[in-house]
Structures are given as structure tokens and as C-alpha cells.
């Protein structure tokens, strides 16, 4: 009998097929191997598992519910639309699922400080929260553009005790924040742990973050079966790096249902106008892992854009690249305009203000629902939109 997918991938070197691995200088390679060994040890430890379960239940408020969006389903007149409410997870998004795990691992390893990058700020807020919980220092690197756009999350990080480092180089967004955070981490890897915020980076992070996020898929499968007596026909989630998508996909990966990753098409298909790596990219190594990335004419990471700060990354998690390459997942691309329209639709029709990132997945569901009468679509509503409201109102008004 064949082992379940999650037991097979990645291999011991962190590869999903040809994607993944660890392409980093020697000092980082040694630090990553230390993390890998510690994670493999702790992941089998019943005390660690019990501690994480306690945190999820009593601190994070898990399990998060699945909600049937009855008004949107009625309005669009086709498939039933269901939402996995990760916006109700403590701090307002799925990010805390892996941040509490990473912080617990850091504590186990005797680290004193957590360091990370953030785009939309949700990973930064979640890591600052985890650091406060475990009594660790926290330093978050964030692009200048994103700091201006996601001001509420910057305030939250500072209130939680984190030091926020503004990154003013290059495009001043997520890629530059990653570069800056890695440089700061290398200055003191002995006392610091770099807590990567998605299923990206060198091994073991794509596996580790997926494993911590798999709780979303485990809960979703149990809840959907209990609610409806069957599995959804389609599960969709937004994909930048892809942590929320791998989380929910993990629960259904061995089932015969469609898994759809929804990428940001931004303002259009021209290079620099979007961040749809799987749709328009090619194979390449960036930030220590081999995946599919958007490249400029020199083969370097291309400039990217999305209205959603958490999605404007020029590559994608290696597991997403692999699953797409073997045809297990499908890819769709949603424009800024479609995402903002979905943002207002959910807000006004269901009383739920979603993150702009999550609005991409919702927009895809609303787009296909009218043609799929009798089917059921499960959307990973990966975060809430409190962080986005000032930006949205300034740029788009109140969606009248």
C-alpha cells in the first residue's frame, strides 16, 4: 500500500521532485541543518505535540469554523460557497498556526530572539504575538511601501513588543524585506532563529510551515464531512508564497477533488504588473530554494505587483511548484479589480470583512460558482481585513 502523500514529500533533502532543497552559503546551511534536526526530534515528541494542541485550543481559539455563505450562494445562483474562517484565528489570520510552532521550536533550541520578514504584516503580528507568549525578543523586517500600506499591523507589532525595521532598498516590498531579514539573522545565528513566514526558503521551512499549517486542512475535512456528509468538490486558496493554501490542501491532497491555487494577476499579464509566479514564471533558485519564479531579462527576480501586500512575491513555495507540475493542483489568476469586488461582496452580503489576500480566493469562487450548480466550493478565508480598511477606503471608497 502506498504511503500518504504527506509522508512521502519532501524527501530527506527537502525536495518535492526537482523543487525545493537548500541552496545557501555554508553559515546558513549549518543553521538550517540545526533547525532541521531539532524539528525532526521535536515533531515526534508527545510533550511538544500536547503543548501545541493546548496552545491552539486555549490561546489561538481553534478549531476555527466553516461557514456556509448563504447570501453569496443565493446571489450567485450556482455552487454552494463555504468559508474556512481562518480570519477568526487569534491575530486575524492563519499565520499564527506556524508562528506558535516555530517559536516553541526556538524555545526548545535555546534561542533568545525571533527574526522574520513580513509583507502584509500578518506574519509579523503573529510572530510578535508568539514571541510575547514565549518571552522571546522579536525583530520584523518590512518594506517601506508595505509599512505605509499596512499601518495598523505595524502599530500592532510595536504594541506587542517587536522591533520593526523599515526596508528602503529596491521595490521596498516583500522580497527586499526577506533579503534584509536574512542579513540581520546571519549576524547572530547562535542566539537567533529566522522564522520564515511561508512555505518558502531553504529546507526544512517549506515542510515545517506546511506541517504546522496542516491543522487547517485536518479541521476542514472533518468539519465539511460533518456539515454536509461529503467532501467539497473544489478547495481554493490564495497563493503568494502559499502557506495558507498548503495548509488547507494538506487535508485533501489524497482525495479526488480539485485543489486550486489562486494567484494575484494585479493590473495585467505584463511583467511587473502582477505576481502570478506559477502562471507566468520559470524554474529558478531564489532565497535558497528551487521553484518557479518570475524573472527579468537578466534571469534575476523580476519586479512584482499586487494590491495584496502578502501576495507580491516573485516566487512560490516549492511544493506548490511540484503539485502544479504533476497536475495535482490547478492555478487561476485574479486581478486587483476582481479581488476588491469580492472584498466588498463578502463585507456587504455576509458581514465579514476579508483580507485582500483572501479576497483573491473568494473572487475565484464567485467567478466559477454560477456555472457549477449543485457543486460545493470551500474557500480558505485566510485572514480578516482590519489591516486593509484604511487603504481600501482611500483607494476605492466604500464600494458603492
Amino acid at each position: 500500500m502506498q504511503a500518504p502523500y504527506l509522508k512521502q514529500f519532501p524527501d530527506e533533502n527537502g525536495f518535492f521532485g526537482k523543487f525545493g532543497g537548500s541552496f545557501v552559503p555554508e553559515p546558513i546551511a549549518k543553521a538550517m541543518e540545526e533547525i532541521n534536526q531539532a524539528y525532526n526530534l521535536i515533531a515526534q515528541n508527545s510533550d511538544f505535540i500536547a503543548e501545541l494542541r493546548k496552545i491552539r485550543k486555549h490561546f489561538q481559539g481553534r478549531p476555527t469554523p466553516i461557514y456556509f455563505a448563504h447570501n453569496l450562494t443565493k446571489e450567485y445562483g450556482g455552487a454552494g460557497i463555504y468559508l474556512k474562517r481562518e480570519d477568526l484565528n487569534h491575530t486575524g489570520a492563519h499565520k499564527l498556526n506556524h508562528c506558535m510552532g516555530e517559536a516553541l521550536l526556538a524555545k526548545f533550541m535555546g534561542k533568545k530572539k525571533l527574526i522574520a520578514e513580513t509583507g502584509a504584516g500578518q506574519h509579523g503580528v503573529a510572530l510578535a504575538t508568539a514571541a510575547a507568549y514565549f518571552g522571546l525578543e522579536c525583530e520584523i523586517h518590512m518594506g517601506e511601501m508595505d509599512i505605509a500600506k499596512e499601518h495598523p499591523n505595524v502599530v500592532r507589532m510595536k504594541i506587542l513588543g517587536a522591533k520593526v525595521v523599515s526596508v528602503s532598498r529596491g521595490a521596498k516590498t516583500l522580497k527586499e524585506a526577506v533579503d534584509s531579514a536574512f542579513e540581520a539573522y546571519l549576524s547572530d545565528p547562535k542566539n537567533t532563529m529566522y522564522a520564515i513566514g511561508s512555505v518558502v526558503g531553504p529546507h526544512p521551512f517549506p515542510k515545517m510551515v506546511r506541517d504546522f499549517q496542516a491543522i487547517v486542512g485536518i479541521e476542514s475535512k472533518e468539519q465539511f464531512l460533518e456539515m454536509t456528509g461529503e467532501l467539497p468538490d473544489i478547495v481554493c486558496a490564495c497563493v503568494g508564497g502559499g502557506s495558507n493554501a498548503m495548509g488547507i490542501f494538506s487535508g485533501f491532497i489524497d482525495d479526488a477533488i480539485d485543489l486550486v491555487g489562486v494567484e494575484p494577476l494585479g493590473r495585467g499579464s505584463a511583467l511587473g504588473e502582477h505576481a502570478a509566479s506559477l502562471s507566468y514564471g520559470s524554474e529558478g533558485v531564489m532565497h535558497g530554494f528551487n521553484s518557479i519564479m518570475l524573472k527579468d531579462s537578466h534571469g534575476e527576480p523580476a519586479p512584482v505587483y499586487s494590491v495584496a501586500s502578502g501576495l507580491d512575491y516573485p516566487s512560490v513555495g516549492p511544493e506548490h511548484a511540484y503539485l502544479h507540475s504533476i497536475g495535482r493542483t490547478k492555478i487561476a489568476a485574479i486581478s486587483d479589480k476582481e479581488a476588491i469586488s469580492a472584498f466588498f461582496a463578502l463585507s456587504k452580503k455576509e458581514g465579514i470583512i476579508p483580507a485582500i489576500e483572501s479576497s483573491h480566493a473568494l473572487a475565484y469562487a464567485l467567478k466559477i460558482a454560477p456555472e457549477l450548480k449543485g457543486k460545493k466550493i470551500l474557500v480558505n478565508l485566510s485572514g480578516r481585513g482590519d489591516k486593509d480598511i484604511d487603504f481600501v477606503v482611500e483607494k476605492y471608497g466604500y464600494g458603492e
Side-chain angles (χ1 to χ4, degrees):
M1 184 174 143
Q2 191 178 25
Y5 168 86
L6 295 179
K7 296 287 188 187
Q8 295 180 64
F9 294 96
D11 67 17
E12 61 183 14
N13 296 311
F15 281 96
F16 304 86
K18 64 180 177 178
F19 301 109
S22 184
F23 300 85
V24 291
E26 184 58 30
I28 297 181
K30 286 174 75 174
M32 291 299 116
E33 184 50 34
E34 181 196 11
I35 292 170
N36 186 38
Q37 287 180 7
Y39 175 67
N40 286 336
L41 182 64
I42 210 171
Q44 300 170 55
N45 185 317
S46 60
D47 292 339
F48 174 81
I49 294 164
E51 177 73 4
L52 202 53
R53 285 180 171 171
K54 186 181 86 171
I55 288 166
R56 285 170 173 168
K57 182 176 181 180
H58 298 290
F59 183 67
Q60 293 182 229
R62 303 204 67 88
T64 58
I66 284 179
Y67 169 70
F68 173 57
H70 56 287
N71 292 328
L72 285 179
T73 297
K74 185 177 179 183
E75 172 142 338
Y76 284 80
I81 298 168
Y82 294 78
L83 310 175
K84 176 58 172 168
R85 297 289 309 276
E86 286 301 285
D87 60 310
L88 296 178
N89 192 36
H90 180 45
T91 72
H94 69 290
K95 294 290 187 182
L96 197 62
N97 298 332
H98 66 254
C99 285
M100 294 305 287
E102 287 177 334
L104 187 55
L105 177 61
K107 194 82 171 172
F108 171 77
M109 294 173 72
K111 304 296 185 182
K112 305 285 190 292
K113 182 177 179 180
L114 297 170
I115 193 166
E117 82 299 327
T118 195
Q122 283 302 137
H123 176 61
V125 169
L127 197 67
T129 300
Y133 182 96
F134 287 106
L136 299 167
E137 291 179 60
C138 186
E139 181 176 302
I140 304 296
H141 292 243
M142 190 172 187
E144 218 173 62
M145 293 272 290
D146 294 333
I147 283 177
K149 198 163 145 189
E150 304 288 5
H151 179 68
N153 273 349
V154 178
V155 173
R156 291 167 80 196
M157 284 183 265
K158 290 180 177 179
I159 288 173
L160 289 161
K163 177 185 176 184
V164 180
V165 177
S166 176
V167 181
S168 56
R169 68 179 81 166
K172 306 174 187 176
T173 56
L174 184 56
K175 178 195 171 291
E176 290 75 25
V178 174
D179 294 339
S180 176
F182 255 118
E183 287 165 17
Y185 167 63
L186 278 179
S187 67
D188 185 17
K190 184 175 185 295
N191 295 303
T192 306
M193 179 162 141
Y194 190 117
I196 291 176
S198 192
V199 286
V200 297
H203 180 62
F205 278 94
K207 170 184 165 55
M208 197 162 78
V209 173
R210 177 199 74 189
D211 290 353
F212 287 137
Q213 287 295 343
I215 187 63
V216 181
I218 291 165
E219 287 177 6
S220 295
K221 188 170 184 176
E222 290 176 357
Q223 291 167 326
F224 209 91
L225 281 168
E226 187 182 342
M227 284 178 81
T228 70
E230 58 187 9
L231 294 178
D233 298 285
I234 298 166
V235 173
C236 65
C238 65
V239 174
S243 57
N244 90 93
M246 273 320 307
I248 198 163
F249 289 175
S250 294
F252 300 94
I253 210 155
D254 290 315
D255 298 305
I257 66 170
D258 288 344
L259 304 176
V260 183
V262 184
E263 296 194 302
L265 187 57
R267 294 181 287 239
S269 58
L271 196 65
E273 296 293 296
H274 63 84
S277 306
L278 287 171
S279 301
Y280 297 101
S282 57
E283 187 178 347
V285 175
M286 188 182 91
H287 289 151
F289 66 102
N290 185 46
S291 188
I292 299 296
M293 60 184 277
L294 294 164
K295 301 175 187 173
D296 63 18
S297 57
H298 304 291
E300 295 297 314
V304 291
Y305 161 79
S306 169
V307 70
S309 294
L311 301 180
D312 59 355
Y313 186 64
S315 188
V316 66
E319 190 163 12
H320 284 294
Y322 172 69
L323 291 170
H324 184 239
S325 75
I326 63 169
R328 179 60 192 96
T329 57
K330 299 176 180 178
I331 294 301
I334 287 292
S335 70
D336 284 2
K337 186 177 178 183
E338 290 169 316
I340 295 299
S341 175
F343 173 94
F344 283 117
L346 187 62
S347 300
K348 294 175 187 299
K349 296 295 180 184
E350 299 286 357
I352 301 168
I353 302 174
I356 301 177
E357 290 79 11
S358 320
S359 300
H360 284 72
L362 178 66
Y364 172 74
L366 299 183
K367 197 172 186 176
I368 64 170
E371 307 302 318
L372 297 173
K373 208 167 185 67
K375 303 284 189 182
K376 297 180 178 68
I377 306 170
L378 175 59
V379 179
N380 194 8
L381 197 72
S382 55
R384 65 174 179 245
D386 305 36
K387 66 186 179 61
D388 298 313
I389 56 175
D390 293 344
F391 168 77
V392 169
V393 169
E394 185 182 327
K395 191 162 183 186
Y396 301 99
Y398 291 93
E400 286 86 5

